[in-house]
Amino acid sequence: MSEAMQWSSVISKQPSLEAAISEVVDRARATLQGPPTVGFLFVSSAFASEYPRVMPLIRRHFPDLPIVGCGGSGIIGTDAQGMVQEVEDDMLVSLTLAVLPNVAVQSFHVETDALPDLDGSPNAWVDRIGVDPACEPQFVVFVDPLSDGINDFLAGLDYAYPGMPKIGGMASAGFGSTKSGLFCGDRFHRTGAVGMALSGDIVLDTIVAQGCRPVGSPYWVTESERNVILGLSADGDPDQSEKPPLEMLREMVADLGEADQELARDALFVGIAQNAFKQDLEPGDFLVRNLLGFDPRQGALAIGDRVRAGQRIQFHLRDASASAEDLEVLMRRYRKTAMGKPKPVGALMFSCLGRGKGLYGESNFDSGVFADYVPIPLSGFFCNGEIGPVEGSTFLHGYTSVFGIVRSKH
């Protein structure tokens, strides 16, 4: 086996499942020197009725290879000309094969409605996943969107394996369909979560592009109840006299330009700073959540996540321009921080169904920006929700593109 990492990502548009799998297997194998050690598989929801046949067909070629994946209404992969394609609502199979020397690989499936207690010992989670935290595993996970306990599952992974990167997404189905699917080992699963733990000489660099840009200034939360913000004060001193959040919001919007004021009517979000004491907050420092509504009597704001007093928030706007700008900023930052480190060999991309052509008016936008900065094989799918870290904790996102970039440690 070659001692260098190798990565091959290919797609097939064959209308027959058998022909599509045969094509991706043959093309992926042809680019590798030596047998693969891990695989990732994404199958269009156009094949949903045939999902139970996927792994038996794959196992004809790879009887023992650790493979995980899922179904998606849009699939991402590299075509025969070496170009990354984001194909939405069409028949497609995407296969990634990798040779990862000195990397231990463990696949797993868990039912998310029967998870260990988050107040108990993390050993119960370790036993369920089957990987020693001392190995410092890094995770790629896929979940069924209709299963219960998804957020508890992510919290449990962080509890048992703190600080380790976890990326992935919720499987997606075509319009009007509820059929999604998960692939792991030699099995097809309708429920729960599947994942791959990678340990050893591997680094999974993550980029979480939430598609927003901050507007106005940050604020301190002075009073809250669950997901309702009851009091805010201006940034710089949390002890300053507070105002009702709705009044703060109206003042902020009034200071925006005409175009941003119009955008704020329909595309206004709240970013929660994950490090409240960082001096200069930047894109990537916030967990972006929906602004759900407001109470004009109390001046309170309701958002799509819990918030507590002492945290900082900043309002955000989202549109195609903001999304493109956010991704460019994060890619420039990644290229700068990656200088002097081992070169990456491949990457996975998990993008929201609300991005892609519907947001940008053109195909292959996010993957194209990524390729401009990191020209390596890329695969993935369009998700019902994206999984990725913000400031070391793992969250379920929306309207986001998450990238996991693979390289060796040395």
Side-chain angles (χ1 to χ4, degrees), residues 205-401:
D205 292 327
T206 61
I207 296 173
V208 179
Q210 298 180 78
C212 285
R213 58 180 168 87
V215 290
S217 300
Y219 302 96
W220 287 93
V221 178
T222 57
E223 185 181 0
S224 66
E225 184 177 336
R226 296 175 66 85
N227 70 320
V228 178
I229 302 173
L230 299 170
L232 289 176
S233 69
D235 196 24
D237 184 357
D239 295 323
Q240 288 182 5
S241 59
E242 65 181 70
K243 292 183 180 180
L246 183 56
E247 182 178 342
M248 290 281 203
L249 172 60
R250 286 170 172 163
E251 292 175 356
M252 186 276 298
V253 171
D255 289 336
L256 297 177
E258 184 177 344
D260 280 353
Q261 287 184 359
E262 186 65 27
L263 186 59
R265 296 177 186 273
D266 302 307
L268 186 64
F269 297 80
V270 176
I272 306 170
Q274 296 304 288
N275 180 352
F277 298 101
K278 184 177 180 181
Q279 290 298 313
D280 298 313
L281 294 171
E282 304 174 285
D285 293 333
F286 296 93
L287 175 64
V288 178
R289 289 299 188 241
N290 289 326
L291 178 60
L292 300 180
F294 57 88
D295 182 344
R297 293 172 300 176
Q298 289 185 291
L301 301 178
I303 68 173
D305 210 330
R306 288 176 178 266
V307 64
R308 64 181 185 276
Q311 288 186 303
R312 278 197 295 174
I313 68 163
Q314 188 166 0
F315 295 104
H316 284 62
L317 295 177
R318 175 180 282 139
D319 63 357
S321 175
S323 184
E325 178 184 342
D326 175 54
L327 182 56
E328 288 275 1
V329 167
L330 295 174
M331 292 307 309
R332 287 196 297 269
R333 186 185 305 171
Y334 176 76
R335 186 167 63 180
K336 182 177 180 180
T337 59
M339 293 179 62
K341 298 177 181 178
K343 291 184 178 180
V345 295
L348 298 167
M349 171 181 165
F350 309 116
S351 188
C352 179
L353 290 165
R355 292 174 74 105
K357 190 174 182 179
L359 175 65
Y360 298 111
E362 60 181 281
S363 299
N364 310 322
F365 187 90
D366 282 353
S367 60
V369 172
F370 180 86
D372 288 342
Y373 289 88
V374 191
I376 55 177
L378 180 68
S379 66
F381 74 106
F382 284 90
C383 314
N384 259 323
E386 305 74 58
I387 295 167
V390 177
E391 287 290 319
S393 296
T394 309
F395 297 97
L396 184 64
H397 303 273
Y399 305 102
T400 297
S401 278

